Structure formats: C-alpha cells, structure tokens
Amino acid sequence: MGDIVKKCNKCGRFCVCSDVNYLVDGYKGCDGTMVDTGIKFNEYLVISKISDDKDFIQAMIDLKEKDIIEYNVKLSQFRTQIEQQKANKVQHDTTPKCPHCNSTNIKPISGLGRGASIAMWGVFSKKINKSFECKNCGYTW
C-alpha cells in the first residue's frame, strides 16, 4: 500500500490519505485538518510496531524530513528487529501440538482412560503406549 499517512492537526491522530474515513488508530470523531506526514502507510506500520507512542512516531516523521538516509537506516533496523522477534517467537514456541493437524487443543490420556480402553479393546486399543489425544482430530500419540 503506497498511501501517505496524514496527521490531524487538532487531535494528533493518524489516517491514510486515500481514505480520510480510515483512521490508523481507529478514531473517527475529530473534525481537524489532516496534514501530510510524508510517511507511507507501510512505513507507518513498521514504525508503530516498534512503538505506538505519538512522540516517537513524530520523531520519525521529523527524521525523514531532516535526514532521509538516517531515516531509511532506522527503518531497515526496525524491519530487521521485527523479523528477529517473529523468528524468536516461532523458535521459542514450545506449546505441544498434535503431530497430525497441528492443533494445540490436546489432552493427556489418563491412566484410567488408557486402562479402560485396553480392558475393552485389548491389543486392538488405540491407546496402548500413547500419552496424548487431540480433541480436534482424535489422533493419539
């Protein structure tokens, strides 16, 4: 999206310039004049993921006006930081999941449940040597 983000000179909120009814932070009740920030919407999304503090965003707007090279360096650093945070989140996600459907809606098979299944089905029981059961697809492992 190549739209330019505008800022209300009355309340300080941001919006996308192609649609003044679409305010970035969801507020639609101000009748102030919208001023062009020079920041593209995709740049705003990167900046706001680092901090949604209006002073920080304004500092980035000022930096773009004063030193475009430094602004682009900072934006690149922010993008790298966001990608690293995403990668770390995926790496450190130790939530157990069903190996069949990847659902996290699983439960441990109780000893009583396993014993009852073995008593009823004998060697044909699906719960022999299994520890977990998926509540979504029924897979046991």
Side-chain angles (χ1 to χ4, degrees):
M1 184 181 244
D3 294 328
I4 300 295
V5 174
K6 290 190 176 185
K7 181 179 179 181
C8 177
N9 67 353
K10 185 176 180 182
C11 67
R13 296 185 188 264
F14 296 94
C15 80
V16 179
C17 88
S18 67
D19 182 5
V20 264
N21 293 322
Y22 174 69
L23 294 177
V24 173
D25 56 8
Y27 181 76
K28 293 184 181 180
C30 182
D31 59 354
T33 304
M34 303 308 287
V35 179
D36 189 355
T37 63
I39 302 287
K40 294 180 181 174
F41 184 65
N42 60 351
E43 294 171 342
Y44 176 83
L45 291 177
V46 171
I47 294 167
S48 65
K49 284 183 182 176
I50 298 300
S51 174
D52 59 357
D53 179 45
K54 291 192 183 336
D55 292 334
F56 173 75
I57 296 169
Q58 186 59 51
M60 289 300 294
I61 292 168
D62 295 342
L63 181 62
K64 185 172 185 177
E65 291 174 7
K66 292 176 186 167
D67 189 350
I68 189 70
I69 295 171
E70 183 65 24
Y71 171 80
N72 285 328
V73 168
K74 292 282 187 201
L75 207 57
S76 178
Q77 291 171 345
F78 293 160
R79 285 186 178 115
T80 302
Q81 182 179 346
I82 291 167
E83 289 301 317
Q84 287 174 343
Q85 288 172 348
K86 285 180 186 177
N88 287 342
K89 189 174 184 180
V90 169
Q91 258 182 354
H92 296 316
D93 185 13
T94 58
T95 306
K97 296 179 181 164
C98 171
H100 186 258
C101 71
N102 286 326
S103 169
T104 57
N105 190 14
I106 63 172
K107 68 175 183 175
I109 298 172
S110 68
L112 183 62
R114 188 173 328 162
S117 177
I118 293 169
M120 182 175 227
W121 298 103
V123 293
F124 299 108
S125 172
K126 288 176 32 180
K127 296 184 180 179
I128 292 178
N129 296 327
K130 308 290 172 105
S131 300
F132 293 96
E133 180 177 12
C134 179
K135 292 180 180 180
N136 285 357
C137 69
Y139 183 78
T140 55
W141 70 100

